[in-house]
Amino acid sequence: MSDLQEQEIVVKVKRFNKEKGDWWQEYKLKVDRFTQMTEVLRRIKTEQDPTLAYRASCHMAVCGSCGMKINGEPRLACKTLALDMVKKYGKNEITLEPMDYFPVIKDLIVDWDNFYERMFKVKPRLYPSKEVLEGKAEHRLKPEDQRELWKFEQCIWCGLCVSACPSVRNDPDFLGPAAHAKGYRFLADPRDTIYEERLKILIDSSWRCTYCYQCFNVCPRDVEPVTTIKKTRAHTKFLTNKTPVANTGEKHIESIVKSIEDTGKIEEAKVYISTYGLVTTIKDMIYAMQNGKLKYALISEAKVKNIDQIRKIIGEEK
Amino acid sequence: MEKLSYDAIVIGGGLAGLMAAHEIAVNGYKVAVISKVFPTRSHSSSAEGGIAAYIEENSDPNDNPDYMSYDTIKGGDYLVDQDAAELLSMRSGEIVRIMESWGTLFNRQPDGRVAVRYFGGQTYPRTRFVGDKTGMALLHALFQRVSGLDNIDFYNEWFSLDLVRDDKRIVGVVAMEMKSMNPVFFKAKAIVMATGGMGMLYAHSTNAYINTGDGYSMALRAGAALKDPEFVQFHPTALYPSDILISEAARGEGAILINNKGERFMQRYAPKKLDLAPRDIVSRSIITEIREGRGFPGGYVGLDLRHLGEEYIKERLALAYEAALSFSGVDATKEPIPVRPAQHYYMGGIDVDITGMNSDLIGLFAAGEAACVSVHGANRLGSNSLLETLVFGRETGRAVAKFLESHTEDSNSLDNEVDKIVDDAYKYTKSESGVHFGEILNKLRNVMWDEVGIYRDEDHLKDAISQINQLREMSKTMYVTDKSKTYNTEFFNALELRNMLDLAIVIAQSALNRKESRGAHFRTDYPQRDDDNWLKHTISYLKGNTVEITYKPVRMTKWKPEPRVY
Ligand SMILES: Cc1cc2nc3c(=O)[nH]c(=O)nc-3n(C[C@H](O)[C@H](O)[C@H](O)COP(=O)(O)OP(=O)(O)OC[C@H]3O[C@@H](n4cnc5c(N)ncnc54)[C@H](O)[C@@H]3O)c2cc1C
Ligand code: SF4
Ligand code: SF4
Ligand code: FES
């Protein structure tokens, strides 16, 4: 075909092995508009350098093997066309690096143990009723419930969201976006029977996400892990014996709602005090003062004009 | 060498392996699942269109398991063992119910019951589905279920090298942890081969990169036979040029194939079933159109979805739409998708009976695409394979449990054998210079595509055999350049190539021997099906460099062969 747009590209791979440490290595090869990055890797390995190590299986974005950083972006190699990257970055050089956060084993191959541990913590399986399990009853599932759950079930355990999530890195008690997507998918399944146990596992962790939306941006299956975290938080009220983090988080939301009801706006200072309590607030204020941020908290808020309408909306939502 | 002991070992973490392991474990036995990839990365995750099942009270009122068996048998061009097809149909509804109860999110009808769609070769619609990612949905549900059981140990990213046997039975398997390159002898009384297919043997294939036919070759080297190894399925609609599968569901939902004149050419080849005729027929029709100049430049035809409407396409055929857009830059709501045939499935496999048991070696079992039970005969119907992995995965698991009940004596320890397996693996790749695996691999894939592909004849097959023999010779001095002791993928790729070469020679030789055309095996020099001479299974052994072939009757129950017209 004449419009294949064949072109030579340079691929720079960040290599690593135990024996030699890490280094950058360059390969040149010809690609066309259809060439996937997994195909680029396969051709490098079979035609130029058999020592290059990477993972790939399905080449159709369903197995979750080929996550890596391509020009610095967390992506699936199979779902990335070489020339699309060339066009996007305006140069014919593409860099490949292992995903962030995961320990590197060799070249682009990373260690998954910690990721899987988090996934298994959320009990990632349906616990159906005894009757159904024994074949004495049948599940019925509304088509709309199926559709809603399917969105979150499409997680392929590729780990890209986790590699991009700042909270996972900083907070060992945070389960991470993928595990939350999985956890919520079962929490919300009307066929499941261990709702309370799931709440206990998920709620505290759900308040540890910072809503930075990185997981949303990188997920190749549009799972929207952050959405599942939001939806999970909404279940906090059903949990007895909340942890401090969950308590704080829930209070934070309540006070935001109250503030909006009162004034139509979020009054940062008031919300802060009712969320964290007076002592913590004073401590934090001293910190804020030292960093020149206090002025934002002390701006006094005037009520918005159509406050009645806002209250009405909140009433309806409740 | 380190030694681990289990009641049974399952090699393969796809649908067949996990289902077998589940059954063995719930019967109280300790089982290890060895897989060269994390289970959810198995090829089963790629299956798109669906799983066939006759479900009582939730199927066409005129349908019944007999029709399903008949469709399967006719689709398989009468090479199907009819008792196996009957078992497959009978258990189909139950297996879907089980998978549903374990959480699979099947698409639903308005009343909440599992939905259904048409697939090629079905008299009544029977295909159950989860969008067009049915395999992924089933595999995750099953893996998640099985990961909650106590007496299964998973060895993920462990590469199995070879089976260990004494003079008549299975003793275990040697596998190597990929991360540490540490070999371990897994001792067991029973082994289930659930290693999946072999698409990488062909230059064009819809299969995952990891489908290198390891299980077939391990079984061959241990002395077990393959049944019907000449039967390789080609799928008519792989996306041009990346060979990503465009599911048969597309045609099931109403897409049509057109040539460069805009003609719906299937009218010429299968006037009744049209675009939904079985895969072998559609594949050959497309190749014929292209050869006679009615394809598009580059060598493909069009799969037209446009009349289905944007909303329908995006919901029911999301993956087809996505794939065309991401990998060919084609918006299927606006122009036809470019497609051509590619290798897709392997009907042949380790010779087993209806319980999954092999008769050459005591304690050897197989299930899924690695096995030939045979329910697909000369040509598999779409959505019957996912069904087979689960139904026969379960049957096999049960048979293993029964086997373990009566085989309680401890097996011999064969430490010498075990060391030899590791030495052989290394010996094979010990040269200090020479060709590396990639060179041989690329040649092999082209030979298989060009000469052991959709159309076959004596001259080409003979040429293929001599070329494969040369490649096997060449591989003896294969050179592994990477000396690293962690995750040496070059070493494993070389071992995969060894497996591919062992399998290739068996396929080519068996294809040369079958002098007729049946299902996916099409000989231009013998274009007719010949029931008088060839209504029988090929049984092939690999003895060193020679392929020894015998034959075995097809098991018939109710259905007499009739011409296969659609
Ligand atoms: C693109 C595509 C779409 C398909 N769609 C459908 C469909 O819609 N309906 C349908 O019925 N069928 C479909 N099929 C066919 C079906 O998906 C497969 O036949 C089926 O999934 C095979 O499952 P399995 O369990 O036998 O093997 P796999 O899922 O392939 O699993 C094989 C396992 O063996 C392991 N393994 C292999 N070699 C070794 C080794 N040396 N050491 C250790 N472990 C090893 C692998 O790691 C893997 O876990 C499709 C096939 C393709 C290619
Ligand atoms: S939104 Fe939450 S889960 Fe997602 S990346 Fe940010 S912190 Fe992590
Ligand atoms: S949520 Fe998305 S990015 Fe995260 S593991 Fe699942 S598929 Fe990958
Ligand atoms: S290779 Fe499977 S997701 Fe990329």
Side-chain angles (χ1 to χ4, degrees):
Chain A
M1 255 170 36
S2 53
D3 57 346
L4 281 176
Q5 301 164 21
E6 276 190 298
Q7 185 178 334
E8 189 174 77
I9 58 166
V10 178
V11 180
K12 281 177 85 174
V13 186
K14 188 167 186 189
R15 310 278 312 262
F16 168 81
N17 68 32
K18 262 201 329 219
E19 296 84 6
K20 286 206 256 176
D22 58 38
W23 74 99
W24 284 91
Q25 193 153 341
E26 247 183 58
Y27 306 95
K28 288 195 183 89
L29 77 167
K30 238 193 185 152
V31 298
D32 62 36
R33 61 181 270 235
F34 299 119
T35 311
Q36 301 164 262
M37 286 309 293
T38 36
E39 205 45 29
V40 165
L41 285 162
R42 193 187 68 80
R43 279 180 44 208
I44 292 174
K45 189 160 177 77
T46 54
E47 291 162 16
Q48 299 185 27
D49 181 357
T51 67
L52 178 65
Y54 63 93
R55 289 191 183 94
S57 174
C58 70
H59 65 69
M60 51 195 280
V62 293
C63 78
S65 300
C66 66
M68 58 188 70
K69 276 201 304 180
I70 306 180
N71 281 355
E73 294 178 43
R75 302 179 71 103
L76 293 180
C78 64
K79 217 186 168 189
T80 305
L81 296 182
L83 288 188
D84 284 353
M85 292 316 270
V86 168
K87 266 175 224 143
K88 185 169 174 188
Y89 287 87
K91 58 175 183 183
N92 75 335
E93 185 184 285
I94 299 174
T95 61
L96 300 180
E97 296 163 82
M99 281 193 290
D100 284 336
Y101 176 73
F102 293 77
V104 182
I105 297 175
K106 179 163 177 188
D107 297 345
L108 300 169
I109 292 177
V110 296
D111 189 310
W112 286 83
D113 290 352
N114 173 275
F115 176 87
Y116 293 135
E117 258 168 50
R118 288 167 193 268
M119 293 304 274
F120 289 124
K121 264 193 197 144
V122 303
K123 297 189 163 259
R125 62 192 68 89
L126 191 74
Y127 289 84
S129 71
K130 202 161 156 272
E131 291 72 37
V132 167
L133 210 47
E134 287 167 357
K136 289 175 195 143
E138 171 199 25
H139 284 142
R140 296 270 176 130
L141 192 62
K142 290 193 211 114
E144 57 270 28
D145 286 347
Q146 190 271 347
R147 267 197 293 274
E148 157 90 2
L149 294 175
W150 177 232
K151 180 172 177 58
F152 306 123
E153 169 71 0
Q154 292 208 37
C155 169
I156 53 173
W157 299 39
C158 72
L160 288 175
C161 57
V162 171
S163 81
C165 171
S167 302
V168 168
R169 236 167 283 179
N170 300 331
D171 184 348
D173 291 329
F174 179 46
L175 291 164
H180 267 290
K182 187 55 64 185
Y184 177 74
R185 174 250 170 282
F186 288 108
L187 185 74
D189 195 321
R191 301 171 297 175
D192 193 59
T193 58
I194 60 161
Y195 177 75
E196 255 125 77
E197 199 179 336
R198 293 194 189 282
L199 277 188
K200 262 187 227 136
I201 296 167
L202 294 171
I203 294 294
D204 174 78
S205 170
S206 75
W207 290 98
R208 295 171 184 272
C209 154
T210 62
Y211 280 179
C212 72
Y213 275 70
Q214 282 309 315
C215 55
F216 181 97
N217 293 336
V218 303
C219 176
R221 296 241 64 98
D222 298 327
V223 171
E224 298 185 17
V226 58
T227 306
T228 65
I229 292 174
K230 280 188 196 163
K231 287 178 180 257
T232 302
R233 283 188 187 181
H235 289 253
T236 308
K237 53 184 178 288
F238 302 116
L239 182 69
T240 44
N241 291 327
K242 298 184 216 335
T243 62
V245 176
N247 247 326
T248 308
E250 196 178 29
K251 273 201 206 125
H252 182 67
I253 298 296
E254 278 167 7
S255 54
I256 287 175
V257 173
K258 177 139 194 332
S259 166
I260 294 174
E261 252 177 341
D262 289 349
T263 62
K265 288 183 182 173
I266 300 173
E267 293 176 296
E268 296 283 353
K270 271 195 208 157
V271 167
Y272 211 88
I273 295 169
S274 52
T275 305
Y276 295 101
L278 198 57
V279 179
T280 312
T281 305
I282 290 170
K283 274 194 210 151
D284 288 354
M285 265 166 68
I286 294 168
Y287 172 83
M289 217 151 58
Q290 284 163 347
N291 291 282
K293 287 183 176 164
L294 198 61
K295 56 180 187 285
Y296 301 111
L298 295 180
I299 295 168
S300 67
E301 306 275 354
K303 282 186 186 175
V304 293
K305 286 194 188 114
N306 300 328
I307 184 79
D308 288 345
Q309 278 176 16
I310 292 175
R311 285 185 184 140
K312 203 170 144 229
I313 294 169
I314 291 176
E316 280 165 7
E317 279 293 310
K318 279 181 176 171
Chain B
M1 195 185 311
E2 195 184 335
K3 202 188 283 182
L4 292 167
S5 219
Y6 285 90
D7 294 319
I9 310 279
V10 175
I11 310 179
L15 283 170
L18 292 176
M19 195 50 131
H22 178 274
E23 251 356 81
I24 302 170
V26 297
N27 276 287
Y29 294 100
K30 189 114 181 88
V31 41
V33 175
I34 297 174
S35 168
K36 65 178 177 180
V37 296
F38 189 75
T40 53
R41 294 172 180 174
S42 301
H43 176 63
S44 290
S45 69
S46 317
E48 302 177 4
I51 174 166
Y54 167 78
I55 303 179
E56 231 174 270
E57 313 270 280
N58 186 12
S59 291
D60 189 291
N62 297 313
D63 200 6
N64 67 45
D66 267 1
Y67 280 117
M68 186 168 171
S69 305
Y70 169 74
D71 287 347
T72 302
I73 291 161
K74 179 178 168 193
D77 227 352
Y78 293 89
L79 197 66
V80 173
D81 280 337
Q82 299 189 353
D83 53 346
E86 286 184 85
L87 188 67
L88 184 78
S89 311
M90 225 158 59
R91 297 259 200 273
S92 61
E94 188 189 352
I95 215 79
V96 166
R97 186 195 62 71
I98 291 174
M99 289 309 294
E100 197 288 331
S101 74
W102 292 350
T104 311
L105 283 168
F106 286 106
N107 277 51
R108 301 290 165 152
Q109 305 174 9
D111 66 3
R113 292 181 308 162
V114 172
V116 67
R117 65 162 55 133
Y118 249 125
F119 244 56
Q122 296 177 344
T123 306
Y124 298 100
R126 291 185 199 102
T127 296
R128 320 288 161 167
F129 57 99
V130 186
D132 46 18
K133 298 184 191 69
T134 312
M136 184 181 116
L138 288 168
L139 183 62
H140 279 265
L142 182 56
F143 172 64
Q144 290 169 172
R145 174 92 201 159
V146 173
S147 70
L149 299 179
D150 288 335
N151 38 350
I152 302 186
D153 288 343
F154 282 95
Y155 293 85
N156 301 326
E157 303 201 329
W158 281 65
F159 192 101
S160 144
L161 303 177
D162 257 319
L163 301 174
V164 187
R165 59 166 293 175
D166 63 13
D167 52 344
K168 53 181 191 298
R169 50 179 189 173
I170 280 292
V171 177
V173 58
V174 178
M176 198 178 236
E177 186 188 27
M178 295 170 76
K179 190 159 138 187
S180 66
M181 305 296 285
N182 182 34
V184 170
F185 172 35
F186 290 83
K187 200 162 164 271
K189 294 190 188 70
I191 289 208
V192 179
M193 303 298 279
T195 42
M198 58 73 168
M200 283 301 107
L201 258 75
Y202 284 85
H204 301 292
S205 171
T206 60
N207 284 198
Y209 290 127
I210 58 168
N211 280 15
T212 51
D214 302 350
Y216 309 114
S217 304
M218 279 187 265
L220 283 168
R221 285 195 297 269
L226 297 193
K227 194 194 285 160
D228 298 332
E230 62 272 40
F231 291 95
V232 179
Q233 181 166 69
F234 297 86
H235 196 290
T237 59
L239 185 64
Y240 174 84
S242 50
D243 294 318
I244 289 169
L245 179 77
I246 302 295
S247 163
E248 191 164 312
R251 282 170 294 135
E253 300 278 1
I256 57 172
L257 287 160
I258 54 168
N259 61 21
N260 67 12
K261 297 198 170 101
E263 291 166 339
R264 186 177 192 181
F265 57 83
M266 283 312 295
Q267 266 160 356
R268 262 200 294 285
Y269 305 93
K272 280 202 212 119
K273 284 276 170 181
L274 292 163
D275 306 276
L276 275 178
R279 294 175 172 177
D280 58 326
I281 295 179
V282 182
S283 291
R284 285 196 296 272
S285 307
I286 294 175
I287 294 285
T288 305
E289 287 294 303
I290 294 172
R291 284 192 183 169
E292 293 179 358
R294 290 186 297 277
F296 293 90
Y300 60 88
V301 297
L303 181 68
D304 201 348
L305 274 65
R306 291 172 295 183
H307 55 285
L308 298 173
E310 184 169 338
E311 196 182 322
Y312 195 79
I313 294 173
K314 285 186 177 164
E315 182 185 337
R316 302 269 285 218
L317 298 167
L319 190 59
Y321 174 78
E322 255 177 56
L325 196 62
S326 322
F327 305 121
S328 290
V330 167
D331 180 346
T333 63
K334 300 205 175 73
E335 51 178 323
I337 302 176
V339 295
R340 67 168 171 205
Q343 187 284 345
H344 182 60
Y345 184 81
Y346 195 37
M347 272 79 69
I350 300 168
D351 179 26
V352 294
D353 65 15
I354 201 166
T355 69
M357 195 180 324
N358 170 273
S359 56
D360 298 306
L361 271 172
I362 298 169
L364 181 63
F365 296 78
E369 196 167 338
C372 181
V373 181
S374 93
V375 287
H376 309 303
N379 173 57
R380 165 176 80 90
L381 289 190
S383 69
N384 263 4
S385 161
L386 287 179
L387 179 63
E388 182 203 5
T389 60
L390 295 172
V391 166
F392 285 95
R394 197 164 70 125
E395 294 301 315
T396 306
R398 286 178 174 172
V400 169
K402 238 203 210 122
F403 171 88
L404 290 171
E405 240 170 70
S406 52
H407 289 72
T408 45
E409 84 283 13
D410 199 27
S411 57
N412 306 328
S413 212
L414 293 168
D415 294 340
N416 294 343
E417 277 303 305
V418 168
D419 291 333
K420 188 171 170 302
I421 285 173
V422 178
D423 285 348
D424 276 356
Y426 274 110
K427 189 163 68 201
Y428 207 72
T429 58
K430 237 183 204 158
S431 316
E432 284 303 316
S433 65
V435 292
H436 70 74
F437 81 93
E439 212 170 302
I440 305 172
L441 174 69
N442 288 341
K443 283 190 182 137
L444 174 69
R445 296 182 68 198
N446 285 324
V447 171
M448 292 301 285
W449 178 256
D450 292 337
E451 307 198 309
V452 199
I454 297 179
Y455 284 109
R456 302 167 173 181
D457 63 47
E458 181 164 329
D459 290 348
H460 285 103
L461 287 169
K462 281 189 168 153
D463 184 62
I465 290 168
S466 99
Q467 291 203 50
I468 297 166
N469 278 329
Q470 282 169 26
L471 293 174
R472 295 184 84 203
E473 224 14 71
M474 204 159 136
S475 71
K476 287 193 178 135
T477 53
M478 194 164 28
Y479 171 45
V480 172
T481 59
D482 188 358
K483 309 293 176 202
S484 148
K485 291 275 190 302
T486 19
Y487 223 111
N488 190 337
T489 53
E490 185 183 356
F491 175 71
F492 294 114
N493 286 154
L495 293 182
E496 287 174 342
L497 177 64
R498 162 174 76 160
N499 291 332
M500 291 160 81
L501 288 164
D502 283 352
L503 177 60
I505 194 69
V506 173
I507 295 178
Q509 188 66 54
S510 306
L512 178 66
N513 270 39
R514 184 174 285 271
K515 295 186 175 49
E516 65 154 354
S517 289
R518 183 184 296 269
H521 173 68
F522 195 85
R523 290 279 302 254
T524 50
D525 44 356
Y526 301 94
Q528 298 304 320
R529 192 174 88 190
D530 174 4
D531 287 337
D532 291 343
N533 296 304
W534 290 102
L535 185 55
K536 56 188 180 188
H537 295 297
T538 304
I539 302 294
S540 304
Y541 294 89
L542 183 64
K543 304 263 163 79
N545 281 331
T546 44
V547 182
E548 280 178 17
I549 296 176
T550 61
Y551 295 93
K552 178 154 129 176
V554 174
R555 289 194 300 270
M556 305 281 201
T557 57
K558 295 184 198 157
W559 294 276
K560 295 261 169 313
E562 50 183 65
R564 188 164 151 259
V565 281
Y566 287 95

